[in-house]
Amino acid sequence: MITVLFFAGQQELIGQEKVERSETNISIAVLKKKLMDEYPKLSLTNTMTAINEEYAEEDRLVKENDVVAFIPPVSGG
Amino acid sequence: MTYFNITSDEINVNAVIDSVIHPEAGAINSFIGTVREFTGEKQTVSLQYEAYPSMAEKQLRRIGEEINEKWPGVRTSIVHRVGKLQISDIAVVIAVASPHRAESYDASRYAIERIKQIVPIWKKEYWVNGEEWVGDQLEKTPYPEGKPEGETK
């Protein structure tokens, strides 16, 4: 299982702050596409991904027990 | 002892400053970011900050490490508040202590710019006539290279 975290506006669109998923050994790009197919309002095209709290590129594979977080453009400060 | 914290409490500015004081420092620069009421003609009523706290604190610490590489001997603390904030509330405090004054200005500026690039904190503005997550799904602040600047992984 993997845990997927959503923040800010994306959390509001999904209606949940996290979901547990069974996918492993797929790339972030493929995971993003699956989620966008499932949640038509969700756009992850302009969203960074962190795996286990480190930014990760689109081709990184998601492994068992990973925590995947989608990071929309940040606006702190 | 320096701080790299995300907190939902009011920030104690003096505690942040005190945390960077050390005998080799001849200058301490503190930056205080507050909630602005007017952005152009748009009037903010309040705003909400949200973070991915564990990752955000790691990224704040990383900024402190980057500063220490660029300006050796500079000590940094950064505390960012989350939750609902009112006009003029303090959202972020950065303190840097350095041997000489020039690098304290440079390091302080560097810290706030890096926060806006790599630290997972988001701001929702509540205006007089609406609300919106800033830099979010409207893609007002896109990542030009598909990732935060300076990210090489």
Side-chain angles (χ1 to χ4, degrees):
Chain A
M1 293 293 281
I2 60 169
T3 303
V4 181
L5 306 180
F6 295 96
F7 295 96
Q10 288 169 343
Q11 190 178 97
E12 291 175 358
L13 287 172
I14 294 269
Q16 299 176 84
E17 58 188 55
K18 68 174 167 180
V19 294
E20 303 282 337
R21 312 258 322 174
S22 56
E23 293 95 335
T24 52
N25 293 312
I26 61 168
S27 68
I28 289 171
V30 172
L31 178 63
K32 279 187 172 182
K33 183 167 186 317
K34 288 183 76 164
L35 288 166
M36 284 191 283
D37 287 345
E38 285 177 42
Y39 301 94
K41 288 183 188 168
L42 182 69
S43 172
L44 297 171
T45 50
N46 187 40
T47 300
M48 264 301 291
T49 307
I51 295 181
N52 305 330
E53 304 180 355
E54 297 284 346
Y55 287 111
E57 298 283 2
E58 296 277 298
D59 57 359
R60 262 280 291 279
L61 295 182
V62 180
K63 306 287 190 194
E64 180 73 16
N65 296 325
D66 277 349
V67 177
V68 178
F70 292 112
I71 312 284
V74 302
S75 49
Chain B
M1 187 64 189
T2 53
Y3 295 121
F4 298 95
N5 290 351
I6 302 294
T7 180
S8 54
D9 298 330
E10 267 185 47
I11 301 172
N12 181 335
V13 178
N14 282 329
V16 182
I17 293 169
D18 286 346
S19 72
V20 297
I21 290 177
H22 63 109
E24 289 79 37
I28 295 174
N29 193 316
S30 59
F31 173 85
I32 299 172
T34 53
V35 175
R36 181 177 58 234
E37 181 170 14
F38 287 97
T39 300
E41 293 182 350
K42 278 185 163 174
Q43 186 176 6
T44 296
V45 177
S46 65
L47 55 77
Q48 173 93 20
Y49 279 103
E50 180 186 316
Y52 180 9
S54 53
M55 181 174 172
E57 289 181 350
K58 281 186 186 172
Q59 295 292 91
L60 292 177
R61 183 171 302 279
R62 173 180 163 173
I63 292 170
E65 289 164 1
E66 288 176 358
I67 285 172
N68 205 251
E69 283 169 24
K70 284 176 177 286
W71 296 281
V74 174
R75 199 173 286 188
T76 304
S77 280
I78 307 172
V79 180
H80 202 297
R81 188 173 171 190
V82 292
K84 195 109 177 173
L85 273 68
Q86 308 300 322
I87 304 303
S88 298
D89 278 352
I90 293 173
V92 60
V93 177
I94 299 166
V96 296
S98 59
H100 304 285
R101 71 179 180 282
E103 59 268 37
S104 77
Y105 288 107
D106 292 343
S108 178
R109 178 67 186 261
Y110 180 85
I112 188 68
E113 300 300 336
R114 284 300 268 164
I115 287 171
K116 291 173 179 297
Q117 290 171 339
I118 66 166
V119 182
I121 299 172
W122 301 274
K123 177 168 68 174
K124 187 176 193 176
E125 295 251 13
Y126 292 84
W127 288 307
V128 169
N129 52 2
E131 59 186 61
E132 181 186 32
W133 285 98
V134 175
D136 193 355
Q137 63 268 42
L138 297 179
E139 302 185 0
K140 284 183 169 173
T141 314
Y143 295 126
E145 296 170 3
K147 62 189 177 195
E149 284 174 48
E151 283 294 329
T152 52
K153 282 179 190 148

